[in-house]
Every structure is written in structure tokens, then in C-alpha cells.
């Protein structure tokens, strides 16, 4: 009950407590609006003389949060539904994304792999750096290509990316050739994310 909540918050403030909550209030037309409410007791010479209260409409912030969450869900649905095995590592070499196609290809569930630096173990018998690791260390594409000249790798048409094919003997019985695309991911300011 919004009325009871308002009374409780006013009582707390009257007792000298600072109050900050995110809640809802009813507009004149009866619709609900998300708000932040801050209540502060006002003292002069140690005596409470009043209460200072501020309501702030959070409608735009809540709409932006909903829009962001919707976009994230859409992207997740697209990537999870993709037949292309996809994983993402952050700048600490930790796996932050592992889609269903990657689970099918490797036999490793996302829950086993997320937040670990074990992306190498589905490709190699012992820990070793992979192209993706050199990318998050911001090595130049040309240096990476030189280091992996024993593989069929080349610059991608996607800026900063590398494409290639390599045989992985650990996949399935007798191994498997895999085609890969690796690309650095940046935020809107150009800061490397993974």
C-alpha cells in the first residue's frame, strides 16, 4: 500500500533518520510512476524544525534500463540461436560468453567454462596462449599472423580481425578442421572489452 509506505517513511524521517528509496507513486490520472524519494530531517541548534523531502521521477531511467535489458536479451537470443560456435573472453582472459553451438561443438557446458581462463582446454592438451589471448593483449594483427604462420590465418575483412582454418586432433574421433573468425570487441569510446 503506497499510502502506508509514505506514512512509514515520514515517521522514520521525523525520528531523525535519513531516508532514500526507489518506489512508485500514483499520478492524478491514477497511473503509477517510478520515483526516488529522499527524506532528510532539518535541524537548527540540535532541534528538528522540519523535514526536507524530494521526489524525483525515474520514468526515463526505468525506460532506459528496460530498453537496455531488452537489447541484451535480443542479442543473447540471436547468439544462443546461432549455429556458429561462439565464445568471448574479456581483457582478463576470462570467458564471458559461451553459446549453445559452442557447447555442442566442444561438449563443455557454459556453466563449466564461464568466468574461467580455460578456453584453451577444448583445443589443446596443455595450457597455451591462443590468438584470442594475443588480441586482448592488443598485439598487432601482423605480429599475430607472423606468430601463427604455420596455420592458415589471414587478416579479416572485419577491422582488426583474423580468419583462419586449423586442424584440431582433439575434436571428435580423428580430429576436425575448424574455420574461425577472431575479432576484438570495443565499447563506444574505443576501449577494448575483449
Amino acid at each position: 500500500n503506497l499510502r502506508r509506505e509514505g506514512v512509514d517513511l515520514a515517521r522514520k524521517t521525523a525520528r531523525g533518520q535519513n531516508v532514500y528509496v526507489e518506489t512508485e507513486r500514483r499520478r492524478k490520472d491514477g497511473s503509477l510512476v517510478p520515483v526516488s524519494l529522499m527524506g532528510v530531517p532539518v535541524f537548527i541548534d540540535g532541534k528538528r524544525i522540519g523535514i526536507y523531502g524530494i521526489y524525483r521521477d525515474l520514468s526515463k531511467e526505468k525506460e532506459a534500463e528496460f530498453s537496455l535489458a531488452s537489447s541484451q536479451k535480443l542479442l543473447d537470443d540471436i547468439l544462443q540461436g546461432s549455429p556458429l560456435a561462439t565464445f568471448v573472453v574479456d581483457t582478463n582472459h576470462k570467458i564471458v560468453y559461451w553459446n549453445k553451438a559452442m557447447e555442442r561443438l566442444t561438449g563443455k557446458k557454459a556453466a563449466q567454462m564461464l568466468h574461467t581462463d580455460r578456453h584453451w582446454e577444448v583445443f589443446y592438451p596443455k595450457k597455451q596462449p591462443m590468438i584470442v589471448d594475443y588480441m586482448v593483449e592488443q598485439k598487432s594483427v601482423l605480429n599475430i599472423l607472423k606468430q601463427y604462420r604455420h596455420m592458415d590465418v589471414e587478416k579479416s575483412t572485419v577491422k582488426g580481425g583474423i580468419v583462419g582454418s586449423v586442424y584440431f586432433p582433439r575434436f571428435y574421433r580423428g580430429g576436425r578442421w575448424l574455420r574461425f573468425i577472431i575479432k576484438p570487441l570495443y565499447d563506444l569510446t574505443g576501449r577494448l572489452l575483449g
Side-chain angles (χ1 to χ4, degrees):
N1 182 314
L2 296 178
R3 187 179 304 265
R4 187 180 313 129
E5 178 191 53
V7 170
D8 289 344
L9 294 172
R11 284 184 182 145
K12 286 181 180 178
T13 309
R15 288 193 300 263
Q17 296 178 19
N18 291 346
V19 172
Y20 179 85
V21 294
E22 289 189 9
T23 184
E24 293 179 316
R25 289 297 178 255
R26 199 167 297 284
R27 292 187 176 108
K28 288 181 183 179
D29 67 4
S31 64
L32 292 174
V33 58
V35 297
S36 67
L37 166 62
M38 183 178 69
V40 179
V42 179
F43 293 91
I44 294 183
D45 296 327
K47 181 180 175 188
R48 186 180 53 79
I49 62 162
I51 297 171
Y52 183 71
I54 299 174
Y55 281 90
R56 191 167 69 87
D57 184 343
L58 297 177
S59 296
K60 288 187 178 170
E61 287 92 336
K62 295 298 179 184
E63 287 170 13
E65 286 173 10
F66 180 79
S67 179
L68 178 60
S70 295
S71 294
Q72 288 173 330
K73 183 181 182 323
L74 175 63
L75 179 59
D76 188 59
D77 288 349
I78 290 168
L79 291 173
Q80 286 296 345
S82 172
L84 300 175
T86 304
F87 74 96
V88 176
V89 298
D90 66 13
T91 55
N92 295 313
H93 306 268
K94 302 288 186 193
I95 299 168
V96 294
Y97 196 84
W98 190 270
N99 76 351
K100 299 283 185 203
M102 195 70 189
E103 289 183 346
R104 285 189 298 276
L105 178 68
T106 65
K108 301 278 188 178
K109 296 288 185 191
Q112 296 172 268
M113 302 305 289
L114 289 174
H115 314 294
T116 73
D117 63 354
R118 297 186 353 249
H119 46 284
W120 60 270
E121 76 181 29
V122 298
F123 302 100
Y124 300 107
K126 61 182 181 178
K127 187 171 185 173
Q128 67 183 66
M130 296 176 56
I131 294 174
V132 68
D133 295 302
Y134 292 117
M135 281 204 161
V136 299
E137 291 169 7
Q138 301 189 44
K139 305 280 188 202
S140 79
V141 170
L142 290 177
N143 285 341
I144 294 170
L145 292 175
K146 284 179 193 171
Q147 189 159 352
Y148 283 88
R149 62 180 160 253
H150 64 283
M151 296 171 123
D152 178 20
V153 293
E154 60 191 61
K155 286 173 83 171
S156 168
T157 55
V158 177
K159 184 181 176 191
I162 293 176
V163 297
S165 299
V166 66
Y167 181 75
F168 288 103
R170 295 186 69 201
F171 276 101
Y172 301 99
R173 292 180 216 109
R176 176 174 273 197
W177 281 92
L178 296 178
R179 183 86 173 145
F180 60 85
I181 303 169
I182 303 171
K183 180 205 176 306
L185 302 173
Y186 300 95
D187 69 12
L188 293 175
T189 67
R191 183 174 58 97
L192 182 68
L193 299 175

